Amino acid sequence: MELVVARIGRAHGIKGEVTVEVRTDEPELRLSPGAVLKTEPATVGPLTIETGRVHSGRLMLRFAGVKDRTGAEALRNTLLIAEVDPSELPEEEDEYYDHQLMDLDVVLEDGTEIGRITEISHLPSQDLFIVERPDGSEVMIPFVEEIVAEIDLEEQRCVITPPPGLIDEREAIVVSTRDGEAAAAGDAAHAGDAADATSNDAADSGDKA
């Protein structure tokens, strides 16, 4: 099974090194020196990783035969593809390969359908599920424990517990409106109390006079 594990970015320096956008949870396995990767477009590859290092939080790679900045720039936006055994599983129990999560149905705890996972974006801070909704729109779901309650590979579904506004912005607006109305009601009550206090003070002054 073929999986996209990275996309080549800009050239770095003058010796053929490039930045890469990692698209795998196991870069140390898929993008290590010696790895031979297919490419998209296919005419660019295969590419053999010669060296790899992390610089300023980004992975830098150098490929065999690419010795200068011109050669590195020619690889920009190329996708790197690894061959993976479909039966292979991650080492950690709560980890998943992208191909296991793709096309899972995304639902709320009550069974409400949200959509299906069409893409997984690996960001430095967290992973994101790109979910296509029935109407064709997309929503991004952070792959974090607080939101993704369950991954059921047998049932091919992902159960989520999203905070207000993540799935439907109108939910956030409703909450905000209610909060505003409550605050306004509270302010009105305080204003009434203040008016009563002022009236009482005036009456006391009249009694004293």
Side-chain angles (χ1 to χ4, degrees), residues 49-67:
I49 297 176
E50 194 169 80
T51 63
R53 68 188 180 94
V54 176
H55 174 71
S56 298
R58 301 205 66 175
L59 180 61
M60 308 283 180
L61 297 179
R62 182 182 291 114
F63 300 99
V66 181
K67 301 298 183 182

Side-chain angles (χ1 to χ4, degrees), residues 60-108:
M60 308 283 180
L61 297 179
R62 182 182 291 114
F63 300 99
V66 181
K67 301 298 183 182
D68 56 29
R69 188 178 184 87
T70 300
E73 282 289 359
L75 297 176
R76 190 167 184 175
N77 292 325
T78 297
L79 297 179
L80 300 176
I81 302 169
E83 189 72 34
V84 178
D85 184 344
S87 63
E88 183 180 338
L89 298 175
E91 294 181 359
E92 298 295 329
E93 182 179 352
D94 294 331
E95 290 184 353
Y96 303 90
Y97 289 137
D98 285 6
H99 71 272
Q100 295 176 293
L101 301 172
M102 291 291 289
D103 289 325
L104 290 187
D105 292 325
V106 179
V107 300
L108 301 181

Side-chain angles (χ1 to χ4, degrees), residues 66-186:
V66 181
K67 301 298 183 182
D68 56 29
R69 188 178 184 87
T70 300
E73 282 289 359
L75 297 176
R76 190 167 184 175
N77 292 325
T78 297
L79 297 179
L80 300 176
I81 302 169
E83 189 72 34
V84 178
D85 184 344
S87 63
E88 183 180 338
L89 298 175
E91 294 181 359
E92 298 295 329
E93 182 179 352
D94 294 331
E95 290 184 353
Y96 303 90
Y97 289 137
D98 285 6
H99 71 272
Q100 295 176 293
L101 301 172
M102 291 291 289
D103 289 325
L104 290 187
D105 292 325
V106 179
V107 300
L108 301 181
E109 287 186 305
D110 63 5
T112 301
E113 178 186 3
I114 300 301
R116 66 183 183 89
I117 299 174
T118 57
E119 184 182 343
I120 300 166
S121 179
H122 298 284
L123 304 179
S125 58
Q126 64 186 13
D127 295 337
L128 287 175
F129 292 158
I130 310 301
V131 177
E132 182 178 320
R133 307 193 68 174
D135 63 3
S137 63
E138 292 184 339
V139 60
M140 292 183 290
I141 308 294
F143 188 13
V144 294
E145 186 178 356
E146 295 81 4
I147 297 175
V148 178
E150 180 185 3
I151 297 289
D152 189 335
L153 296 181
E154 289 188 6
E155 296 294 331
Q156 286 290 287
R157 69 174 189 168
C158 167
V159 181
I160 63 172
T161 55
L166 180 63
I167 300 301
D168 191 340
E169 292 182 356
R170 287 174 297 179
E171 296 177 9
I173 294 172
V174 170
V175 171
S176 177
T177 301
R178 288 176 180 169
D179 290 345
E181 289 174 350

